[in-house]
Amino acid sequence: MRFLSMAALALVGAMMTGCTNDDNIIDEPQQPASKNNIVTMTTTVSLDGGAATTRALTSGGVKTFAEGEQIALVYQNTNNETVKVESAALADGDITNEGKSATFTFELTDPDRSQNVTYIYPAAMAKADGTVNYDALATQNGTLATLSSTLDLATYSAAWNAGSLPAATLENQLAILALTLKNSTGSSDLTSTITGVTITDGTNTYAITRSAAAGPIYVAIQPTSSAAISVIATDGTNLYGKSLTGKTYAASNGYSVSWRMTSGKFSYSNNQTKKVYFSKGNLQATYNGSSWTWAFAANQWDHIGKATGNTKVTASSPFISENATVDLFGWVGASSDWTGAAQYGITSSTRTNNTNGYGNDASEALKSDWGTLMGDDWRTLTSAEWEYVFNTRYSGSTVNSTSHARYTHATINTDGTGVNGMILFPDGITVANSEATSWGTINGNSAWGTKCTTAQWAALAAKGCVFLPAAGYRNEAKVNSAGSYGNYWSSSPSTGSGVAYYVDFGSGYLSPASTGSRYAGFSVRLVRQVE
């Protein structure tokens, strides 16, 4: 059974506010034929050693320079072009003042000394066009060592000093969070078990992937003011969430924060909390000669289409043979909704029907939620829930470097027969680029662009990924478009007579809230609430 969290609003959990306990175009110049116009220049750059602009702290208490570090310099040349260069790597003799100052050396080509220069430190935080590389903050590993050496942004801009590069004391541009995560009551520390954290402030998202280890978890973020912040964390099995409002984290400051997390619960607008598993395969029904039995397909990719058994259903021979199995069903709500050609497309009292090919009996009057047939609290997603799963769910998952991955059009088992369909990504996982043969659009439309071998799909399924095969649809006795289209019923009726909502997808498109006639035979995939 596969797991997915669903919510239409924010994470549930007591909000903690307050103090440190916080509940507290540039073209790169070509190499010139002559180096007569290249000048080598040095400058001294300092860290402030403990004032307000101190960058991320090392274990010794103050950030210091280290051998091998580089700084980027952005300047204008005499052709009025903006140029970014990186310094030579620091050597031991370049570092002075107990590590708080260092002399950096640059090679500049035709610098215009009438224009200001900008230092960006560390050099990894500068893009090729000379702008700050804030994208680097999107993925972090939560360690202070990595943050301090490659992500902790500090800058300085000034005019040339009588033809020489200006000396500088760097000014920190980011806020640093040292995170400790606890359970909802604050009685137990979760930090050492956490392998992934995703933080969003409504504009920026920061995904931290780490090995389970003692905390705190260090995260560099852009400054925020009175922001609403959402947090999802995972230990690889459990999910935790938190929402905060009115949070201000200022540049040049470090914050030690302790957040109480709510375990695996996410809120709908109706204030109910739900976390669900998907069944291991689509719903199936088998006729034994007088009645029907219900089961899940053995594999997520299985789909039948026409009835299997001794005799196939055809337009000229519309009946189900003994031991035949079907998996495309019509829809019906209460018996008063009956319009003559829905009713799951099957019946317990007869195996013949000239309208839909799979039997039809108004007296059966089962509810639209097929979950009642399977027991154990299985149910069918509503249309609003399907929309949330595909369109607005904040999954906290990173797939092929895409944050908050929810779904992708895919072909799985490509080394076998190959099956088209839709992969749903559960909450709180990370999937590397190498875990599929190719990737299509994540959270968008592509022509079955994601490709997975049998082994690759097995690994994704082990992480909790859900596959909805494109099983086509049935119109009366005819099954159409198997392998090209997927249609999955919701439990939600529409306003029209004999109409209900369903998910509709195919190569390059997705409509999670389509409406169609209830007599059509569509796939059914059930879920069960975890708690």
Side-chain angles (χ1 to χ4, degrees), residues 137-469:
L137 301 176
T139 55
Q140 304 183 38
N141 68 7
T143 67
L144 181 59
T146 299
L147 189 158
S148 179
S149 63
T150 63
L151 296 177
D152 189 16
L153 171 68
T155 65
Y156 181 83
S157 295
W160 288 73
N161 182 17
S164 298
L165 288 174
T169 298
L170 298 173
E171 298 175 356
N172 190 8
Q173 303 300 305
L174 303 176
I176 309 299
L177 305 184
L179 305 180
T180 299
L181 304 182
K182 297 185 176 182
N183 65 359
S184 59
T185 64
S187 60
S188 176
D189 184 89
L190 304 172
T191 312
S192 63
T193 68
I194 296 300
T195 57
V197 182
T198 301
I199 301 171
T200 181
D201 60 11
T203 301
N204 305 294
T205 298
Y206 312 96
I208 300 90
T209 302
R210 67 195 290 262
S211 299
I217 301 168
Y218 289 91
V219 187
I221 67 171
Q222 295 189 60
T224 63
S225 178
S226 300
I229 292 178
S230 296
V231 186
I232 290 178
T234 181
D235 58 11
T237 301
N238 302 298
L239 286 171
Y240 305 92
K242 184 170 188 64
S243 288
L244 305 103
T245 58
K247 301 309 297 179
T248 296
Y249 298 121
S252 303
N253 283 274
Y255 297 84
S256 232
V257 294
S258 178
W259 290 337
R260 296 183 182 185
M261 309 293 288
T262 301
S263 175
K265 293 184 178 181
F266 299 83
S267 170
Y268 283 110
S269 57
N270 61 4
N271 293 323
Q272 297 181 20
T273 57
K274 302 182 179 75
K275 182 173 71 173
V276 298
Y277 291 111
F278 276 76
S279 60
K280 67 178 182 178
N282 285 356
L283 188 64
Q284 297 180 343
T286 301
Y287 186 67
N288 67 7
S290 60
S291 63
W292 295 88
T293 57
W294 300 82
F296 295 127
N299 302 295
Q300 294 205 58
W301 60 82
D302 289 341
H303 60 93
I304 298 169
K306 290 185 178 180
T308 61
N310 297 330
T311 304
K312 303 274 187 176
V313 173
T314 66
S316 60
S317 180
F319 63 89
I320 298 291
S321 297
E322 186 174 346
N323 299 321
T325 301
V326 295
D327 67 350
L328 295 173
F329 309 115
W331 192 101
V332 70
S335 58
S336 60
D337 294 329
W338 181 253
T339 59
Q343 201 70 15
Y344 295 94
I346 63 173
T347 174
S348 59
S349 59
T350 180
R351 59 182 181 172
T352 65
N353 179 263
N354 291 327
T355 301
N356 62 24
Y358 289 156
N360 172 0
D361 183 357
S363 65
E364 193 165 298
L366 294 170
K367 299 295 184 181
S368 61
D369 194 338
W370 291 266
T372 58
L373 301 165
M374 298 301 294
D376 292 329
D377 298 320
W378 289 103
R379 68 178 182 85
T380 312
L381 292 175
T382 67
S383 181
E385 289 171 337
W386 274 123
E387 281 196 275
Y388 176 73
V389 165
F390 282 105
N391 284 347
T392 60
R393 175 169 53 102
Y394 185 90
S395 73
S397 292
T398 300
V399 177
N400 190 30
S401 302
T402 300
S403 298
H404 315 306
R406 297 186 296 272
Y407 67 89
T408 183
H409 295 68
T411 304
I412 68 169
N413 300 348
T414 54
D415 51 341
T417 56
V419 184
N420 295 333
M422 194 76 73
I423 294 176
L424 298 177
F425 299 108
D427 296 342
I429 67 168
T430 299
V431 179
N433 301 17
S434 60
E435 293 184 69
T437 302
S438 65
W439 289 101
T441 304
I442 308 297
N443 298 345
N445 295 318
S446 58
W448 317 119
T450 298
K451 309 291 184 184
C452 298
T453 64
T454 300
Q456 287 170 331
W457 167 246
L460 292 178
K463 290 187 173 185
C465 294
V466 176
F467 185 72
L468 304 175

